[in-house]
Coordinates of all heavy atoms in Angstrom, one line a residue:
A1 N 2.4 22.3 -3.7 CA 3.7 22.9 -3.2 C 4.0 24.2 -3.9 O 4.6 25.1 -3.3 CB 4.8 21.9 -3.4
T2 N 3.6 24.3 -5.2 CA 3.9 25.6 -5.9 C 3.1 26.7 -5.3 O 3.5 27.9 -5.4 CB 3.6 25.4 -7.4 OG1 2.2 25.1 -7.6 CG2 4.5 24.4 -8.0
R3 N 1.9 26.4 -4.8 CA 1.0 27.4 -4.2 C 1.5 27.8 -2.8 O 1.1 28.9 -2.4 CB -0.4 26.9 -4.1 CG -1.0 26.4 -5.5 CD -1.2 27.5 -6.5 NE -2.2 28.4 -6.1 CZ -2.6 29.4 -6.8 NH1 -2.1 29.7 -8.0 NH2 -3.6 30.2 -6.4
K4 N 2.2 27.0 -2.2 CA 2.7 27.2 -0.8 C 4.1 26.8 -0.7 O 4.4 25.6 -0.3 CB 1.8 26.5 0.2 CG 2.0 26.9 1.7 CD 1.1 26.2 2.6 CE 1.3 26.5 4.0 NZ 0.4 25.8 5.0
P5 N 5.1 27.6 -1.1 CA 6.5 27.2 -1.2 C 7.1 26.6 0.1 O 7.9 25.7 0.1 CB 7.2 28.5 -1.6 CG 6.2 29.3 -2.3 CD 4.9 29.0 -1.6
G6 N 6.6 27.1 1.3 CA 7.1 26.6 2.5 C 6.5 25.3 3.0 O 6.8 24.8 4.1
L7 N 5.6 24.7 2.2 CA 4.9 23.5 2.6 C 5.8 22.3 2.8 O 5.7 21.6 3.8 CB 3.9 23.1 1.5 CG 3.0 21.9 1.7 CD1 2.2 22.0 2.9 CD2 2.2 21.6 0.5
V8 N 6.8 22.1 1.9 CA 7.6 20.9 1.9 C 8.6 21.0 3.2 O 8.8 20.0 3.9 CB 8.5 20.8 0.6 CG1 9.4 19.6 0.7 CG2 7.6 20.7 -0.6
T9 N 9.1 22.1 3.5 CA 10.0 22.3 4.6 C 9.3 22.5 5.9 O 9.7 21.9 6.9 CB 11.0 23.4 4.3 OG1 10.3 24.6 4.0 CG2 11.9 23.1 3.2
G10 N 8.3 23.4 5.9 CA 7.6 23.7 7.1 C 6.6 22.7 7.6 O 6.2 22.7 8.8
H11 N 6.1 21.9 6.7 CA 5.1 20.9 7.0 C 5.5 19.5 6.4 O 4.7 18.9 5.7 CB 3.8 21.4 6.4 CG 2.6 20.7 7.1 ND1 2.3 20.8 8.4 CD2 1.6 20.0 6.5 CE1 1.1 20.2 8.6 NE2 0.7 19.6 7.5
A12 N 6.8 19.2 6.7 CA 7.4 18.0 5.9 C 6.6 16.7 6.2 O 6.4 16.0 5.2 CB 8.8 17.9 6.4
W13 N 6.3 16.4 7.4 CA 5.6 15.1 7.7 C 4.3 15.1 7.1 O 3.8 14.0 6.6 CB 5.6 14.9 9.2 CG 6.9 14.4 9.8 CD1 7.7 15.2 10.7 CD2 7.5 13.2 9.6 NE1 8.8 14.4 11.0 CE2 8.7 13.2 10.4 CE3 7.2 12.1 8.9 CZ2 9.6 12.2 10.4 CZ3 8.1 11.0 8.9 CH2 9.3 11.0 9.6
G14 N 3.5 16.2 7.2 CA 2.2 16.2 6.5 C 2.3 16.0 5.0 O 1.5 15.4 4.4
F15 N 3.3 16.7 4.4 CA 3.5 16.6 3.0 C 3.9 15.1 2.6 O 3.4 14.6 1.6 CB 4.6 17.5 2.5 CG 4.8 17.6 1.0 CD1 3.9 18.3 0.2 CD2 5.9 17.0 0.5 CE1 4.1 18.3 -1.1 CE2 6.1 17.0 -0.9 CZ 5.2 17.7 -1.7
L16 N 4.8 14.5 3.3 CA 5.2 13.1 3.1 C 4.0 12.2 3.2 O 3.8 11.3 2.4 CB 6.3 12.7 4.0 CG 7.7 13.3 3.7 CD1 8.7 12.9 4.8 CD2 8.2 12.8 2.3
F17 N 3.2 12.4 4.2 CA 2.0 11.6 4.4 C 1.0 11.8 3.3 O 0.4 10.8 2.8 CB 1.3 11.9 5.7 CG 0.0 11.2 6.0 CD1 0.0 9.8 6.2 CD2 -1.2 11.8 5.8 CE1 -1.2 9.1 6.4 CE2 -2.4 11.1 6.0 CZ -2.4 9.8 6.3
S18 N 0.9 13.0 2.8 CA 0.0 13.3 1.7 C 0.5 12.6 0.4 O -0.4 12.0 -0.3 CB 0.0 14.8 1.4 OG -0.7 15.1 0.3
C19 N 1.8 12.6 0.2 CA 2.3 11.8 -1.0 C 2.0 10.3 -0.8 O 1.6 9.7 -1.8 CB 3.8 12.1 -1.1 SG 4.3 13.8 -1.6
A20 N 2.3 9.8 0.4 CA 2.0 8.4 0.6 C 0.5 8.0 0.4 O 0.2 7.0 -0.1 CB 2.5 8.0 2.0
F21 N -0.3 8.9 0.9 CA -1.8 8.7 0.8 C -2.2 8.6 -0.6 O -3.0 7.7 -1.0 CB -2.4 10.0 1.5 CG -3.9 9.9 1.5 CD1 -4.6 9.1 2.4 CD2 -4.7 10.7 0.6 CE1 -6.0 9.1 2.5 CE2 -6.1 10.6 0.7 CZ -6.7 9.8 1.6
V22 N -1.8 9.5 -1.5 CA -2.2 9.5 -2.9 C -1.5 8.3 -3.6 O -2.2 7.6 -4.4 CB -1.8 10.8 -3.6 CG1 -2.1 10.7 -5.1 CG2 -2.5 12.0 -3.0
F23 N -0.3 8.0 -3.3 CA 0.5 6.9 -4.0 C -0.2 5.6 -3.7 O -0.4 4.8 -4.6 CB 1.9 6.9 -3.6 CG 2.7 5.8 -4.2 CD1 3.2 6.0 -5.5 CD2 2.9 4.6 -3.6 CE1 4.0 5.0 -6.1 CE2 3.6 3.6 -4.2 CZ 4.2 3.8 -5.5
V24 N -0.5 5.3 -2.4 CA -1.1 4.0 -2.1 C -2.5 3.9 -2.7 O -2.8 2.8 -3.2 CB -1.2 3.9 -0.5 CG1 -2.1 2.7 -0.1 CG2 0.2 3.8 0.1
H25 N -3.3 4.9 -2.7 CA -4.6 4.8 -3.4 C -4.4 4.5 -4.9 O -5.1 3.6 -5.4 CB -5.3 6.2 -3.2 CG -6.1 6.3 -2.0 ND1 -5.5 6.4 -0.7 CD2 -7.4 6.2 -1.7 CE1 -6.4 6.5 0.2 NE2 -7.6 6.3 -0.4
M26 N -3.5 5.2 -5.6 CA -3.3 5.0 -7.0 C -2.7 3.7 -7.3 O -3.1 3.0 -8.2 CB -2.5 6.2 -7.6 CG -3.2 7.5 -7.6 SD -4.8 7.5 -8.5 CE -4.2 6.8 -10.1
F27 N -1.7 3.3 -6.5 CA -1.0 2.0 -6.7 C -2.0 0.8 -6.5 O -2.0 -0.1 -7.3 CB 0.2 1.9 -5.8 CG 1.0 0.6 -6.1 CD1 1.8 0.6 -7.1 CD2 0.9 -0.4 -5.2 CE1 2.6 -0.6 -7.4 CE2 1.6 -1.6 -5.4 CZ 2.5 -1.7 -6.5
T28 N -2.8 0.9 -5.5 CA -3.8 -0.1 -5.3 C -4.8 -0.3 -6.5 O -5.0 -1.4 -6.9 CB -4.7 0.2 -4.0 OG1 -3.8 0.3 -2.9 CG2 -5.7 -0.9 -3.7
R29 N -5.3 0.9 -7.0 CA -6.2 0.8 -8.1 C -5.5 0.2 -9.4 O -6.0 -0.7 -10.0 CB -6.6 2.3 -8.5 CG -7.6 2.3 -9.6 CD -8.0 3.7 -9.9 NE -9.0 3.7 -11.0 CZ -8.7 3.7 -12.3 NH1 -7.4 3.7 -12.7 NH2 -9.6 3.7 -13.2
Q30 N -4.2 0.7 -9.6 CA -3.5 0.2 -10.8 C -3.1 -1.3 -10.7 O -3.2 -2.1 -11.6 CB -2.3 1.0 -11.0 CG -2.5 2.4 -11.5 CD -3.4 2.5 -12.7 OE1 -4.4 3.3 -12.8 NE2 -3.1 1.7 -13.7
A31 N -2.7 -1.7 -9.5 CA -2.4 -3.1 -9.2 C -3.6 -4.0 -9.4 O -3.4 -5.1 -10.0 CB -1.8 -3.3 -7.8
L32 N -4.7 -3.6 -8.9 CA -5.9 -4.4 -9.1 C -6.3 -4.5 -10.6 O -6.8 -5.6 -11.1 CB -7.1 -3.8 -8.4 CG -7.0 -3.9 -6.8 CD1 -8.1 -3.1 -6.2 CD2 -7.0 -5.4 -6.4
F33 N -6.1 -3.5 -11.4 CA -6.3 -3.5 -12.8 C -5.3 -4.5 -13.5 O -5.7 -5.2 -14.4 CB -6.2 -2.1 -13.4 CG -7.5 -1.4 -13.6 CD1 -7.9 -0.4 -12.8 CD2 -8.4 -1.9 -14.5 CE1 -9.1 0.2 -12.9 CE2 -9.7 -1.2 -14.7 CZ -10.0 -0.2 -13.8
E34 N -4.1 -4.5 -13.0 CA -3.1 -5.4 -13.6 C -3.5 -6.9 -13.3 O -3.2 -7.7 -14.1 CB -1.7 -5.1 -13.1 CG -1.1 -3.8 -13.7 CD 0.4 -3.8 -13.6 OE1 1.0 -4.8 -13.4 OE2 0.9 -2.7 -13.8
L35 N -4.1 -7.1 -12.2 CA -4.5 -8.5 -11.9 C -5.6 -8.9 -12.9 O -5.7 -10.0 -13.4 CB -5.1 -8.6 -10.5 CG -4.1 -8.5 -9.3 CD1 -4.8 -8.6 -8.0 CD2 -3.0 -9.6 -9.4
K36 N -6.4 -7.9 -13.3 CA -7.5 -8.2 -14.2 C -7.0 -8.4 -15.6 O -7.6 -9.2 -16.4 CB -8.5 -7.0 -14.1 CG -9.7 -7.2 -15.1 CD -10.6 -5.9 -15.0 CE -11.7 -6.0 -16.0 NZ -12.6 -4.8 -15.9
T37 N -6.0 -7.6 -16.0 CA -5.5 -7.7 -17.4 C -4.2 -8.4 -17.6 O -3.5 -8.2 -18.6 CB -5.4 -6.2 -17.9 OG1 -4.4 -5.5 -17.1 CG2 -6.7 -5.5 -17.9
A38 N -3.9 -9.2 -16.6 CA -2.5 -9.9 -16.6 C -2.3 -10.7 -17.9 O -1.2 -10.6 -18.5 CB -2.4 -10.8 -15.4
Q39 N -3.3 -11.5 -18.3 CA -3.2 -12.3 -19.5 C -3.0 -11.5 -20.7 O -2.2 -11.8 -21.6 CB -4.4 -13.3 -19.6 CG -4.2 -14.3 -20.8 CD -5.4 -15.2 -20.8 OE1 -6.3 -15.2 -20.0 NE2 -5.4 -16.1 -21.8
N40 N -3.8 -10.4 -20.8 CA -3.7 -9.5 -22.0 C -2.3 -8.8 -22.0 O -1.7 -8.7 -23.1 CB -4.8 -8.5 -21.9 CG -5.0 -7.7 -23.1 OD1 -5.1 -8.3 -24.2 ND2 -4.9 -6.4 -23.1
D41 N -1.8 -8.4 -20.9 CA -0.4 -7.8 -20.8 C 0.6 -8.8 -21.3 O 1.6 -8.3 -22.0 CB -0.1 -7.3 -19.4 CG -0.9 -6.1 -19.0 OD1 -1.5 -5.5 -19.9 OD2 -1.0 -5.9 -17.8

């Protein structure tokens, strides 16, 4: 967004989908790790 200031307003749906895309991937990875290390936590 810093490289393309109009990205958030001019391409809002694409930007929101991009955020959701990354978040779901990262959250899935972290949640699976938490299942593995639950007892240790």
